[in-house]
Amino acid sequence: MQAAYDNNNIFAKILRGELPCHKVYEDEHVFAFLDIMPRSPGHTLVIPKAPARNILDIKPDDYAHVARGTHKIAAAAMKAFEADGITVQQFNEPAGGQVVFHLHMHVMPRMNGVMLLPPASRKEETKVLEAHAAKLITALK
Ligand code: AMP
């Protein structure tokens, strides 16, 4: 059986404002911020405000809100980074590659011929993350 949602996971703390993040978008249902160990420049995470561990326990309507948010961020990321494409990924449970147990969609801008970095390869510099968040915020306007 699947573990229960843990209110003290990192992304729940970010949602409550207890941990910092580079926020790019927020509405009533979703929150989007930069991954601190980006696999490509502009790598963004889109999460539901509703508590959900992953796709196995999220309510369908909450998942639909995440899909809408992901769609919005993908379009903005294409523009902000003059990307050639976008990779969207979402992992479920440790066997599925999940590390943080609050559902999140990875939205990664891609350039032709450039591989993604492996997950958690390196922490990006704050200045770079700030500049990337600003680009996305502008593209979302
Ligand atoms: P996964 O659960 O495998 O989908 O991946 C979790 C993702 O969260 C990884 O890409 C991490 O780089 C990212 N991550 C972990 N801690 C933070 C944080 N405090 N702020 C932003 N991203 C994070």
Side-chain angles (χ1 to χ4, degrees), residues 76-117:
M78 283 295 285
K79 201 164 129 191
F81 295 94
E82 295 178 1
D84 296 316
I86 298 284
T87 297
V88 174
Q89 283 186 323
Q90 192 264 312
F91 304 118
N92 302 283
E93 294 300 317
Q98 187 174 12
V99 175
V100 178
F101 297 98
H102 182 109
L103 184 140
H104 50 280
M105 307 291 290
H106 296 261
V107 180
M108 296 173 279
R110 304 296 302 274
M111 302 307 284
N112 286 327
V114 180
M115 300 289 285
L116 288 176
L117 289 174

Side-chain angles (χ1 to χ4, degrees), residues 122-135:
R122 66 177 189 98
K123 192 171 175 299
E124 186 55 276
E125 285 175 29
T126 300
K127 276 195 172 157
V128 173
L129 293 174
E130 278 170 4
H132 288 175
K135 276 187 181 201

